[in-house]
Amino acid sequence: MKKRIADMPLMEEKKGNINICYPFVGKKAVEYVTDTLSGRWIGQGPKVEKFESEFQNKFAPSKKAIAVGSGTDALHLAYVLSDIKPGDEVICPVFTCTATNIPLLYMGAKIRFADVQPDTLNIDPNHVKELINEKTKAIVPVHYGGLPCDMDELRSIADEWNIPIIEDAAHALGATYKGKSIGDISEYTIFSFQAIKHFTTGDGGMLLVNDENESISKRVRWFGIDREAKQGGIWENDIKEIGYKYQMSDVAASIGLAGLEEFDKVSNHRKHLFNLYCEELKDFSDVEIIGINRTDREHAAWLFTILVNNRYDLQNKLAGVGIESNQMHFRNDRYSIFKEHCNGEVFPNMDEVENKYLVLPLHHKLSEEDVHRVCLELKKGW
């Protein structure tokens, strides 16, 4: 009997298997963490500040970097800083990690789901134009797989309505749009350092903001307390904003600092393998590659995604020869927690691709030979 996808366990890490993803930890991470654990600061301290500074200089020199405990923390902070209130509407893609949308439920906001572009799986600006109204307080594009969204079109819409863009760039570290780094474009951008992202801090995230929002971001990240002013006397320093416990620790920042040292090497390797997949499969008519026809932007190569017919048959076939594949995210309108936010909206593009998209292996341990093997198995059919 053919296995159903629900019957497939995660593939073991063993010789001969090609796993779909693998965490990257820098070579000096153990050394840096040991140094941190041997000192006075293991919570939020000087290593966090150093990580913020190095990250900001590398990816978004015109912004300020605020290190937090997760990408979800960063999104929630961005929503708070955007002054989103109960009943306000926020436009988000229907296809994304639930972490994009769940923080809006914390806040009592109304989520308006936008359809995807079928060739990128990114948010469709044309649907955004249909959804936006006087209640809309933000647009939240997600750069699926690492391919930047159509930011010029989204910027034009946001400017017309005088609302911010909050980029969920959890997939897009190292991507560029028309020569500008993702992170250095919009009012707010978040990154994720969850285990299988480009590099990890164990778990963690980063919020990038404009200069004027740096101080309030740091306060809201830590209970609303001004940590620097606090050193001068606790009770003399008022708390004016409701804050959260969203700070990063020096232990996590130490892992991040080690990862930054090798980021370019890892990023270039992933992009090379992404392009190798494209070259190998470009003439194979049974496969459509997601996100290859946008020449004005650079893909971050977090995911390599294809569209195929009979996806489950292909996934079963690949699993049978030791190659792991999967769907990383699912359309959010199918989840019960979001049902009241759907308003009877239809998503024809999402409907078209829902049963076709499949993510193939892509990570720093993958070799050119592994990519050749995956492509050979695809070309044999399923």
Side-chain angles (χ1 to χ4, degrees):
M1 178 183 294
K2 184 185 296 183
K3 284 186 176 181
R4 299 173 303 163
I5 299 305
D7 296 331
M8 288 187 182
L10 292 176
M11 192 167 288
E12 291 181 50
E13 181 190 353
K14 67 179 184 180
K15 186 175 181 180
N17 282 356
I18 300 178
N19 296 103
I20 191 170
C21 55
Y22 203 97
F24 170 74
V25 179
K27 293 177 182 177
K28 292 188 177 180
V30 173
E31 175 187 337
Y32 291 173
V33 169
T34 300
D35 176 70
T36 297
L37 293 175
S38 300
R40 179 184 178 189
W41 292 96
I42 63 172
Q44 182 189 344
K47 294 284 178 63
V48 170
E49 292 184 6
K50 184 179 181 183
F51 181 47
E52 289 172 333
S53 176
E54 293 191 10
F55 188 94
Q56 174 183 312
N57 290 339
K58 184 171 184 60
F59 296 109
S62 74
K63 305 293 181 179
K64 297 299 182 182
I66 313 297
V68 292
S70 70
T72 310
D73 293 350
L75 277 164
H76 188 206
L77 285 183
Y79 296 156
V80 170
L81 293 168
S82 299
D83 200 30
I84 294 168
K85 304 293 186 184
D88 288 344
E89 295 188 2
V90 180
I91 298 176
C92 302
V94 70
F95 180 63
T96 181
C97 176
T98 54
T100 306
N101 294 313
I102 284 177
L104 293 166
L105 301 184
Y106 306 163
M107 307 171 77
K110 174 70 175 178
I111 302 166
R112 297 301 305 274
F113 289 123
D115 205 355
V116 299
Q117 298 170 321
D119 62 333
T120 68
L121 301 187
N122 281 337
I123 195 169
D124 183 352
N126 292 321
H127 196 198
V128 173
K129 288 180 184 178
E130 295 176 16
L131 295 171
I132 201 164
N133 62 72
E134 65 279 356
K135 295 181 180 180
T136 307
K137 292 300 174 71
I139 300 170
V140 186
V142 177
H143 308 303
Y144 174 75
L147 178 75
C149 297
D150 292 344
M151 295 308 300
D152 282 354
E153 290 84 347
L154 294 171
R155 181 79 270 166
S156 178
I157 299 168
D159 287 348
E160 180 181 350
W161 290 84
N162 193 30
I163 59 174
I165 290 177
I166 302 168
E167 293 181 55
D168 182 340
H171 299 190
L173 191 61
T176 63
Y177 177 80
K178 296 188 175 180
K180 291 201 72 173
S181 294
I182 293 298
D184 214 23
I185 297 173
S186 300
E187 295 92 331
Y188 305 98
T189 305
I190 76 94
F191 292 99
S192 170
F193 311 135
Q194 177 262 350
I196 59 171
K197 295 301 192 295
H198 292 75
F199 80 98
T200 184
T201 58
D203 203 351
M206 191 72 78
L207 171 63
L208 295 170
V209 299
N210 292 329
D211 289 1
E212 63 267 22
N213 283 320
E214 180 183 19
S215 294
I216 187 173
S217 299
K218 288 183 175 180
R219 293 195 302 272
V220 176
R221 170 180 64 178
W222 203 69
F223 300 120
I225 296 172
D226 185 330
R227 286 169 61 93
E228 292 182 9
K230 176 177 178 290
Q231 306 308 316
I234 293 175
W235 307 120
E236 289 80 3
N237 297 288
D238 194 10
I239 298 175
K240 300 177 181 179
E241 302 99 5
I242 296 173
Y244 305 87
K245 195 177 189 297
Y246 282 171
Q247 80 278 16
M248 179 177 282
S249 73
D250 269 23
V251 175
S254 299
I255 301 172
L257 286 165
L260 282 181
E261 292 178 1
E262 300 179 60
F263 178 81
D264 289 343
K265 178 183 70 175
V266 171
S267 177
N268 290 336
H269 180 63
R270 296 181 75 113
K271 291 174 182 178
H272 171 67
L273 295 181
F274 186 99
N275 291 330
L276 185 59
Y277 267 125
C278 291
E279 182 64 25
E280 291 255 344
L281 296 174
K282 66 180 181 180
D283 296 323
F284 183 44
S285 61
D286 289 345
V287 164
E288 180 181 344
I289 302 168
I290 288 294
I292 61 169
N293 297 317
R294 298 292 196 275
T295 57
D296 59 350
R297 63 206 74 178
E298 183 179 17
H299 204 298
W302 186 57
L303 299 178
F304 185 82
T305 306
I306 58 174
L307 299 181
V308 296
N309 292 320
N310 303 314
R311 177 181 65 191
Y312 288 169
D313 290 343
L314 174 56
Q315 198 167 351
N316 273 298
K317 179 258 179 73
L318 292 176
V321 293
I323 298 171
E324 193 172 26
S325 61
N326 217 321
Q327 298 82 53
M328 286 293 185
H329 299 312
F330 301 88
R331 56 188 299 172
N332 281 198
D333 65 316
R334 300 290 197 213
Y335 293 110
S336 296
I337 58 172
F338 297 123
K339 285 298 182 185
E340 67 182 67
H341 298 262
C342 294
N343 284 343
E345 290 283 351
V346 294
F347 308 101
N349 294 337
M350 190 71 247
D351 293 343
E352 172 64 23
V353 301
E354 180 177 14
N355 294 316
K356 295 181 178 181
Y357 67 93
L358 186 67
V359 176
L360 300 180
L362 182 61
H363 51 83
H364 71 286
K365 285 184 172 288
L366 204 70
S367 67
E368 290 185 355
E369 291 73 21
D370 292 330
V371 172
H372 291 314
R373 179 179 151 199
V374 174
C375 293
L376 178 62
E377 293 297 337
L378 285 170
K379 291 175 182 178
K380 289 178 181 178
W382 58 93

